[in-house]
């Protein structure tokens, strides 16, 4: 267990360094761009009739720094703010802290991704077993080919096709936004609101299911194929253990490495959510990042980008650790 | 020179007869399943379309205000778009940007990835761990959000720029694959012999390692093309890259966000034409990958 604690510590430090590098990169990126938030606020206050001293003081209270400060001071301010969980003040949501804006958007990204992941995991794993056992037959190769095909299709193409079929042509499912418009004024934890949210989430979740399905199916297939060749399967066959019990042995051994990938795919989907949220006009973190670019809201942009990066990095670390915890064959 | 008199390791590709048998091997693998020939034909078709399409059709789309959103007809096979331009023409002309960007991105990614992977796998030790940390970094930082953020300072004007940036962001997978191949190859007899003879590293890497690694690079290249299609078309679709040319991403963006193709079927051909092309292209790559996979992993040839 001591070794595990050490591994955790090393991985966490590595992840922190990575996030720090990305934060530094975004800081200097924003600094190189015209229209820095502190300056914009400063000019606004001057235009409102403050003198330059007052305006500068007020801008630096809200934004932590102004571009009149030396670069290094701005940078250390920025990093120490980050360490305190202060991501700056959004420009487009005039005056609201970036952390609050992101906090509001986070559930709209995390919950659809999680539900999509779970559904695609179940479908992918079970069809992966079928494809592995029947791999020489037409059914098996058809399943694999379809999976590699689906895995290759860009996420937004899947999203658009789903919308075209189920919304435009059939009119069976809603698209755009999170709830029906009548409920927008009065959100709350009632049956009507929650069911409307679920109804509007069907297509986005289906998209997440489809884009991750192929990966599950293909990796379960190859995992089962490799377990099929193991000695203990031969032994159980010779002992006359029933095929259904043998299937359980195979499934249990083959599914282990896939659990670790679960964390990894969460990171991948989180990073790719921007395309899906844009297509569905869904107010998640990806959409936030996209809007912040359009509105030149740099504090929001860096905040959303950092959050996405951190989520991916964390998912990587979790996947790595799970790998050694969950599968005894990997543990040394 | 000692290198000239050195007998090469017994690589089957060197003997003429062996080379011929390799060609028949490739042909046999290709023809084993009809899907593989279809995949190859699709890829060839798109290459021809991107190369000669704009020459035949003319790059300039005709703008005709009297013919906005027309249904397919003998004159316009796939109808017209919001400006009265021919959808088929836009699709054909637009393929060039997409394919050119993909090829350039693949070129940059494979150059960087192969170099990094070979250096790391061959030299091992300190340079290996350093290069692999960088590779891990490139692999971890989420690509699409990074590209989105980069659009604030980069306009991605030409296919060259777009391809370069995609390549710089996307070489991680190739580097990893090349490194693991190099690690396993360097323990083989012919490489040990070459090292024992005191051949310079550069010779060993370029003449001995590279030819053996090339197939794996080719495979990962095709795989990464799928990602490059999604990334570049996606950036145009999101509307954060300026529309300096006709291409499929621009068409999808216009159809969805200005044409209202998801609400009303008016712009549906303008939407479906580039989508079909993307689907076909991906299908071609996947079908063809199947053949390459079997060529280089003989163990897959079960039956």
């Amino acid at each position: 267990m001591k070794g595990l604690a050490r591994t955790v510590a090393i991985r966490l430090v590595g992840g922190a360094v990575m996030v720090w590098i990305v934060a530094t990169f975004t800081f200097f990126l924003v600094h190189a761009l015209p229209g820095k938030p502190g300056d914009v606020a400063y000019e606004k206050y001057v235009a409102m009739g403050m003198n330059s001293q007052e305006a500068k003081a007020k801008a630096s209270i809200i934004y932590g720094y102004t571009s009149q400060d030396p670069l290094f001071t701005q940078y250390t301010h920025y990093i120490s703010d980050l360490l305190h969980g202060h991501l700056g003040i959004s420009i487009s949501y005039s005056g609201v802290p970036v952390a609050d804006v992101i906090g509001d958007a986070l559930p709209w990204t995390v919950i659809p991704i999680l539900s999509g992941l779970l559904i695609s995991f179940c479908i992918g794993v079970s069809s992966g077993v079928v494809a592995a056992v029947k791999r020489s037959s037409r059914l098996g190769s058809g399943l694999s080919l379809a999976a590699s095909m689906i895995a290759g299709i860009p996420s937004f193409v899947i999203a658009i096709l789903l919308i075209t079929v189920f919304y435009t042509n059939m009119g069976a499912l809603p698209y755009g936004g999170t709830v029906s418009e009548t409920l927008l004024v009065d959100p709350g934890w009632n049956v009507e609101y929650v069911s409307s949210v679920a109804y509007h989430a069907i297509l986005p979740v289906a998209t997440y299911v489809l884009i991750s399905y192929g990966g599950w199916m293909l990796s379960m297939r190859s995992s089962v194929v490799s377990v099929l060749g193991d000695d203990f399967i031969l032994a159980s066959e010779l002992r006359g253990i029933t095929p259904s019990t043998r299937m359980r042995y195979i499934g249990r051994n083959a599914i282990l490495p896939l659990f670790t990938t679960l964390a990894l795919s969460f990171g991948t989907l989180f990073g790719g959510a921007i395309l899906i949220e844009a297509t569905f006009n869904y107010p998640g973190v990806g959409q936030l990042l996209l809007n912040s670019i359009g509105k030149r809201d740099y504090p929001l942009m860096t905040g959303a980008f950092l959050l996405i990066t951190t989520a991916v990095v964390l998912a990587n670390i979790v996947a790595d650790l799970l790998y050694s915890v969950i599968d005894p064959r990997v543990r040394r | 020179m000692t290198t000239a008199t050195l007998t090469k390791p017994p690589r089957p590709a060197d003997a003429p007869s062996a080379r011929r048998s390799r060609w028949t091997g490739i042909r046999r693998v290709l023809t084993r399943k009809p899907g593989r020939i279809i995949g190859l034909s699709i890829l060839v078709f798109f290459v021809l379309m991107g190369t000669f399409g704009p020459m035949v059709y003319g790059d300039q789309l005709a703008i005709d205000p009297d013919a906005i959103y027309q249904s397919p007809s003998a004159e316009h096979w796939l109808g017209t778009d919001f400006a009265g331009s021919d959808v088929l023409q836009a699709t054909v002309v637009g393929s060039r940007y997409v394919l050119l960007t993909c090829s350039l991105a693949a070129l940059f990614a494979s150059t960087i990835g192969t170099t990094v992977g070979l250096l790391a796998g061959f030299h091992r030790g300190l340079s290996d761990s350093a290069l692999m940390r960088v590779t891990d970094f490139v692999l971890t930082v989420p690509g699409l959000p990074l590209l989105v953020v980069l659009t604030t300072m980069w306009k991605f004007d030409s296919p060259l720029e777009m391809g370069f940036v995609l390549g710089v962001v996307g070489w991680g997978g190739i580097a990893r694959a090349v490194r693991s191949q190099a690690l396993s190859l360097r323990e083989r007899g012919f490489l040990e012999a070459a090292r024992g003879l005191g051949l310079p590293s550069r010779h060993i890497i370029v003449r001995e390692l590279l030819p053996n690694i090339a197939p794996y690079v080719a495979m990962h290249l095709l795989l990464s093309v799928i990602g490059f299609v999604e990334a570049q078309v996606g950036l145009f679709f999101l509307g954060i890259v300026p529309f300096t040319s006709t291409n499929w991403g621009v068409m999808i963006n216009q159809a969805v966000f200005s044409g209202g193709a998801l609400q009303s079927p008016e712009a549906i051909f303008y939407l479906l034409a580039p989508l079909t092309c993307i689907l076909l292209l991906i299908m071609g790559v996947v079908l063809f990958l199947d053949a390459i996979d079997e060529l280089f992993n003989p163990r897959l040839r079960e039956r």
Side-chain angles (χ1 to χ4, degrees), chain B residues 75-277:
Chain B
E75 200 181 340
H76 304 289
W77 289 2
L78 293 177
T80 58
D81 67 2
F82 59 94
S85 308
D86 187 58
V87 169
L88 184 61
Q89 184 186 7
T91 314
V92 171
V93 172
S95 71
R96 174 175 278 183
Y97 185 100
V98 177
L99 297 171
L100 193 57
T101 309
C102 273
S103 325
L104 287 168
L107 185 72
F108 286 119
S110 61
T111 311
I112 305 174
T114 311
T115 313
V116 169
L118 273 180
L119 288 179
F122 184 72
H123 288 299
R124 299 199 290 192
L126 194 66
S127 61
D128 181 23
S129 13
L131 285 173
M132 277 307 110
R133 287 294 82 75
V134 179
T135 310
D136 282 342
F137 186 77
V138 172
L139 277 173
T140 314
V141 172
L144 193 72
L146 177 65
L147 288 171
V148 167
V149 168
L150 279 179
T151 56
T152 52
M153 59 177 239
W154 215 321
K155 290 303 158 227
F156 298 110
D157 269 338
S158 62
L160 186 67
E161 281 175 50
M162 178 75 108
F164 176 73
V165 178
L166 287 177
V168 167
V169 173
W171 54 267
I174 296 177
R176 277 239 163 246
V178 168
R179 171 179 175 267
S180 63
Q181 273 306 306
L183 277 180
S184 95
L185 280 172
R186 81 191 300 281
E187 306 305 327
R188 303 264 181 88
F190 71 93
L191 270 185
E192 255 171 51
R195 274 202 305 274
L197 284 169
L199 294 176
S201 302
R202 195 208 290 182
H203 174 92
I204 297 180
I205 290 182
V206 175
R207 305 294 286 276
E208 312 294 341
L209 268 178
L210 210 53
N212 282 289
I213 280 171
Y216 289 90
V217 176
M219 212 170 115
H220 277 265
L221 218 54
L222 267 181
L223 264 180
S224 54
V225 161
I226 293 179
F228 292 145
V229 172
E230 167 152 21
Q232 59 147 323
V233 177
L235 283 177
F236 281 102
F237 166 66
L238 290 175
I240 47 177
V241 182
F243 299 164
T244 46
S245 65
T246 310
N247 68 59
W248 299 342
V250 174
M251 291 174 76
I252 301 174
N253 174 290
Q254 304 265 19
V256 169
F257 296 113
S258 343
L262 299 179
Q263 271 81 20
S264 66
E266 256 194 335
I268 200 75
F269 282 100
Y270 194 54
L271 173 68
L272 284 186
L275 282 190
T276 313
C277 283

Side-chain angles (χ1 to χ4, degrees), chain B residues 45-86:
Chain B
F45 167 74
F46 273 110
V47 170
L48 293 178
M49 177 163 143
T51 319
F52 300 109
M55 291 182 204
V56 178
Y57 250 125
D59 314 0
Q60 228 48 51
L61 296 177
I63 293 172
D64 181 2
D66 296 331
I68 293 171
Y69 286 135
Q70 287 195 339
S71 326
S73 59
E75 200 181 340
H76 304 289
W77 289 2
L78 293 177
T80 58
D81 67 2
F82 59 94
S85 308
D86 187 58

Side-chain angles (χ1 to χ4, degrees), chain A residues 18 21 29 33 136 149 152-156 160 167-168 175 271 274-275 278-279 290 293 301 305 312 316, chain B residues 137 140 144-146 148-149 152-153 226 230 233-234 237-238 240 252 262-263 271 275 278-279 282-283 286 302:
Chain A
M18 193 164 277
I21 295 177
L29 173 72
L33 297 169
S136 306
M149 221 65 108
I153 302 176
S155 55
F156 64 95
I160 292 175
Y167 171 80
T168 317
Y175 138 74
I274 188 166
L275 280 170
T279 319
L290 193 60
I293 302 264
M301 176 188 91
F305 181 55
V312 175
N316 270 292
Chain B
F137 186 77
T140 314
L144 193 72
L146 177 65
V148 167
V149 168
T152 52
M153 59 177 239
I226 293 179
E230 167 152 21
V233 177
F237 166 66
L238 290 175
I240 47 177
I252 301 174
L262 299 179
Q263 271 81 20
L271 173 68
L275 282 190
I278 293 173
L279 290 177
I282 301 289
M283 200 166 97
V286 169
E302 47 119 16

Side-chain angles (χ1 to χ4, degrees), chain A:
Chain A
M1 231 32 211
K2 201 178 161 204
L4 186 65
R6 216 178 106 87
T7 323
V8 173
I10 292 177
R11 296 289 310 172
L12 281 179
V13 170
V17 168
M18 193 164 277
V19 172
W20 169 65
I21 295 177
V22 173
T24 308
F25 160 76
T26 43
F27 171 82
F28 284 103
L29 173 72
V30 170
H31 191 85
L33 297 169
K36 286 170 268 304
D39 284 5
V40 172
Y42 170 80
E43 276 154 27
K44 197 172 84 187
Y45 297 138
V46 170
M48 278 161 64
M50 289 184 195
N51 66 44
S52 73
Q53 208 62 34
E54 254 182 310
K56 189 187 167 190
K58 189 161 184 195
S60 55
I61 286 170
I62 297 182
Y63 291 98
Y65 55 83
T66 59
S67 59
Q68 276 92 352
D69 290 333
L71 190 60
F72 186 71
T73 321
Q74 292 181 44
Y75 177 67
T76 47
H77 267 294
Y78 172 72
I79 294 292
S80 93
D81 278 353
L82 276 187
L83 287 175
H84 292 96
H86 187 69
L87 296 173
I89 306 287
S90 163
I91 297 173
S92 54
Y93 292 80
S94 49
V96 183
V98 166
D100 293 358
V101 179
I102 293 179
D104 285 345
L106 204 51
W108 298 114
T109 301
V110 172
I111 296 174
I113 288 182
L114 277 183
S115 22
L117 258 186
L118 288 178
I119 299 172
S120 72
F121 185 78
C122 296
I123 307 177
V125 161
S126 31
S127 60
V129 174
V130 176
V133 174
K134 302 211 180 295
R135 66 187 178 287
S136 306
S137 76
R138 191 162 285 194
L139 173 71
S141 48
L143 273 175
S144 314
L145 191 63
S148 355
M149 221 65 108
I150 294 179
I153 302 176
S155 55
F156 64 95
V157 173
I158 292 188
I160 292 175
L161 291 178
L162 283 178
I163 297 170
T164 313
V165 172
F166 291 102
Y167 171 80
T168 317
N169 283 348
M170 292 166 58
L173 289 168
Y175 138 74
T178 54
V179 286
S180 55
E181 276 169 25
T182 50
L183 292 169
L184 266 179
V185 278
D186 182 27
W189 282 108
N190 48 49
V191 179
E192 199 186 0
Y193 183 78
V194 172
S195 60
S196 174
V197 167
Y199 189 46
H200 278 74
I202 292 177
L203 284 183
V205 170
T207 310
Y208 285 119
V209 170
L210 283 176
I211 58 176
S212 46
Y213 161 78
W216 294 126
M217 136 86 216
L218 291 175
S219 40
M220 188 61 185
R221 174 180 177 270
S222 67
S223 186
V224 169
V225 167
S226 75
V227 172
L228 279 176
D230 279 356
D231 289 342
F232 76 98
I233 297 299
L234 184 65
S236 66
E237 211 166 312
L238 290 175
R239 267 195 212 156
I241 290 175
T242 58
S244 65
T245 316
R246 234 170 38 230
M247 236 17 256
R248 267 218 329 271
Y249 289 174
I250 295 171
R252 212 179 276 172
N253 276 278
I255 208 168
L256 271 181
L258 263 77
F259 274 120
T260 60
T261 328
L262 209 54
L264 213 59
S265 349
F266 177 79
T268 317
L269 287 183
F270 208 100
I274 188 166
L275 280 170
I276 295 168
E277 285 169 10
T279 319
F280 284 104
N281 193 17
Y282 216 69
V285 180
Q287 180 81 299
L288 214 54
L289 176 61
L290 193 60
N291 289 342
S292 70
I293 302 264
K295 290 173 182 156
R296 296 284 177 258
D297 185 348
Y298 296 127
L300 187 57
M301 176 188 91
T302 48
F305 181 55
L306 267 181
L307 177 90
I308 293 173
T309 312
T310 314
V312 175
V313 169
L314 271 181
N316 270 292
I317 294 175
V318 171
D320 229 43
L321 294 176
L322 269 179
Y323 196 50
S324 56
V325 172
I326 216 169
D327 194 342
R329 285 168 297 189
V330 184
R331 210 186 299 155
R332 274 171 297 169

